[in-house]
Structures are given as C-alpha cells and as structure tokens.
Amino acid sequence: MSTNKIDGKQIAGLVTEKVKERVENLKSKGVVPGLAVILVGSNPASQTYVNNKAKTCERLGMYSVLIELDEDISEDELLKNVEALNQDDKIHGILVQLPLPSQINEDRVIATISPLKDVDGFHPENVGKMMIGQQSFLPCTPFGVMKLLEYSDVEIAGKHAVIIGRSNIVGKPMGQLLLQKDATVTYCHSRTKDLHSFTKQADILVVATGRAKMIDASYIKEGAVVIDVGINRDENNKLCGDVDFASAQEVASKITPVPGGVGPMTIAMLMENTCLAAENTLTNK
Ligand code: GUN
C-alpha cells in the first residue's frame, strides 16, 4: 500500500457532494440542471465515458439526455442537433464527445455550441477568456487536475510544471491554468528533443501523451508530483496510464493512479460546469 497515491475517486466524491448541494439549491428555485451529450458512432471507449457521465448526472439529481447519432451522419445534421439543444431551456450544458468521424469538421461543431452552454470549455470564446484569466468554462480534465492539486495541498506558485502533450483538450489549457497559479511552465510534445532533460526538472509533471506506460522513474525528479492523464490498455488488456506507476511511485512524492486518478475528476468537473451553467441562467437574466 502506498501513501503517496492521490485518490482521485475520493476527491471527486468530495467535489460532487458540493455539486449535489448546489443542484438541490437550484431545484428549490425551480431549475433542474440539464446536460445533453451527443455521441456520434459507437466507439466503445467513448460509450463507457458517456455512460459514466449519465450515471453521475442521475446520482446528483441532474437531468441528462444522450443523443446517439449514426457514424455516417452529415455535418449539417449534427449542427442541427446542436442548434436545437442551444434553444432548449431544459439543457444548460452541451457536450459533443470527441473525436468525431472524418466527414465532420470538429472546429465548426465546437463553434456552433452556445458559449453559455459550452461545459467542455472548448468554444473559442471560452478558450480566449481562459487565456486572459476571465471567468469562463474550464476544460474538465485540466480543471480536474487543478482540483486534485488543490485538495492534495500541492504548492504551485514558483514551481516548475512540465506538461507532456499539447492537445487543445488537455495539454494547452493545462499549461494556462498552471501559469495562472504562477507556475513556470514548460510544454513538451512528440517532437521535443531530449525529453528527459526537461522532465527531470519538473516539480509537477503532467503526462498526457496517449502512450501506455511511456514515463518511468528515469524521467522523474526525486519528490516530484506526477499527474497521469492517460487511459490505455496494457498488454494484458488492463487499464493503465501514460506513466509506469510501479516504477514512478518509487521517486514521486505524490502520484495519481490509473484508474482512480484524473478520470473521476474529469466527470466531477463536468458536473460542476453544468451546475454553473444552470446557475448562470438565474444570475445573467
Ligand atoms: N474526448 C476525450 N475527452 C473529452 C472531453 O473532455 N470532452 C469531449 N467532448 N470529448 C472528449
């Protein structure tokens, strides 16, 4: 049993308890927070995430709808679905599960979601606001990582945070949020030369490479905090992260496991964002 493991499941439970109270308060004012999830095609991993989202909504007393669309749906048809949800007063948050099939332009879909219902924080308006530190919806995974760090009493100001991965969903916003908390931020990615030389300097290392067990102890400075955003299957079809946990936990001061680390936090933050979107309908009118 390790003592340096960050228990994402437990922290997500604490976050969702608070969301539940906010949901009850909203309900007393006649508003039931509602989340719509659009799933195109039948990617099994996406289906698992989407089912978990619906279950959590139910547990917190929120309304949720799942719209399942055919793999070969046209972009126009998908956009019509998004526009209908933009107009639907029962829906406060809209999530279009990514990735989308190749006939569909993801940027156009994201730009069609009302920024007021963009609980993923992917709309350019919300991305821009996040960049300049204005209140906006924050992308759920990086937002969840920030909460994990907060609940685990990890100091951020003045620390060197190294992020491996530069996706719009995780890596890029992750760096921005850490920068806002006064970390010194380095981005690494698949074209980075001599990755070790950067990761070995990290006080906080966030790994989002999508490559199973790529980061072992040799990449990690003694005492670093290691956050593993990956979800992969290993050679035995067991869930694993982008970090080789057994090796990394020997040198890290704190480390997230997979499963049970970042994953539960992503869903918890989606619930928080949906609740916030519903609250905004009361205060912004
Ligand atoms: N696919 C993987 N992660 C995410 C996410 O956070 N939001 C959406 N919409 N799709 C995803």
Side-chain angles (χ1 to χ4, degrees), residues 155-210:
E155 206 180 300
I156 298 173
K159 300 294 181 189
H160 188 186
V162 176
I163 297 151
I164 321 179
R166 52 173 157 178
S167 70
N168 290 341
I169 294 181
V170 180
K172 282 184 204 160
M174 188 74 253
Q176 282 301 319
L177 295 182
L178 287 162
L179 181 64
Q180 268 161 27
K181 295 287 181 196
D182 301 318
T184 300
V185 175
T186 299
Y187 287 99
C188 299
H189 46 78
S190 53
R191 303 293 294 271
T192 297
K193 295 199 171 83
D194 192 9
L195 185 59
H196 276 94
S197 70
F198 294 101
T199 60
K200 281 292 238 183
Q201 296 179 44
D203 302 309
I204 300 169
L205 181 63
V206 182
V207 188
T209 63

Side-chain angles (χ1 to χ4, degrees), residues 72-259:
D72 55 11
I73 190 172
S74 70
E75 186 178 297
D76 271 357
E77 272 306 308
L78 175 55
L79 294 181
K80 274 186 203 150
N81 276 274
V82 172
E83 279 157 4
L85 294 169
N86 283 343
Q87 300 301 324
D88 185 340
D89 286 343
K90 290 202 297 299
I91 298 300
H92 305 94
I94 302 171
L95 181 145
V96 180
Q97 185 68 32
L98 303 178
L100 290 167
S102 56
Q103 77 276 14
I104 292 168
N105 180 327
E106 270 181 17
D107 291 344
R108 211 171 289 151
V109 175
I110 290 168
T112 302
I113 297 171
S114 162
L116 300 174
K117 297 190 177 187
D118 170 36
V119 286
D120 258 329
F122 293 167
H123 189 287
E125 185 175 315
N126 284 318
V127 176
K129 283 184 170 174
M130 180 196 62
M131 286 281 294
I132 57 176
Q134 288 183 6
Q135 216 249 310
S136 65
F137 291 112
L138 303 177
C140 301
T141 299
F143 189 14
V145 171
M146 295 307 285
K147 282 275 178 195
L148 278 181
L149 296 174
E150 184 190 324
Y151 276 78
S152 308
D153 294 321
V154 174
E155 206 180 300
I156 298 173
K159 300 294 181 189
H160 188 186
V162 176
I163 297 151
I164 321 179
R166 52 173 157 178
S167 70
N168 290 341
I169 294 181
V170 180
K172 282 184 204 160
M174 188 74 253
Q176 282 301 319
L177 295 182
L178 287 162
L179 181 64
Q180 268 161 27
K181 295 287 181 196
D182 301 318
T184 300
V185 175
T186 299
Y187 287 99
C188 299
H189 46 78
S190 53
R191 303 293 294 271
T192 297
K193 295 199 171 83
D194 192 9
L195 185 59
H196 276 94
S197 70
F198 294 101
T199 60
K200 281 292 238 183
Q201 296 179 44
D203 302 309
I204 300 169
L205 181 63
V206 182
V207 188
T209 63
R211 293 173 61 184
K213 299 186 191 177
M214 175 186 163
I215 300 301
D216 63 15
S218 72
Y219 288 87
I220 299 166
K221 181 169 83 172
E222 185 79 39
V225 174
V226 178
I227 305 290
D228 187 352
V229 180
I231 303 179
N232 313 286
R233 297 263 168 197
D234 71 8
E235 57 284 359
N236 303 316
N237 205 35
K238 241 182 83 182
L239 280 180
C240 71
D242 297 347
V243 175
D244 181 351
F245 185 85
S247 154
Q249 85 170 145
E250 298 294 328
V251 287
S253 63
K254 293 189 164 112
I255 180 167
T256 60
V258 177

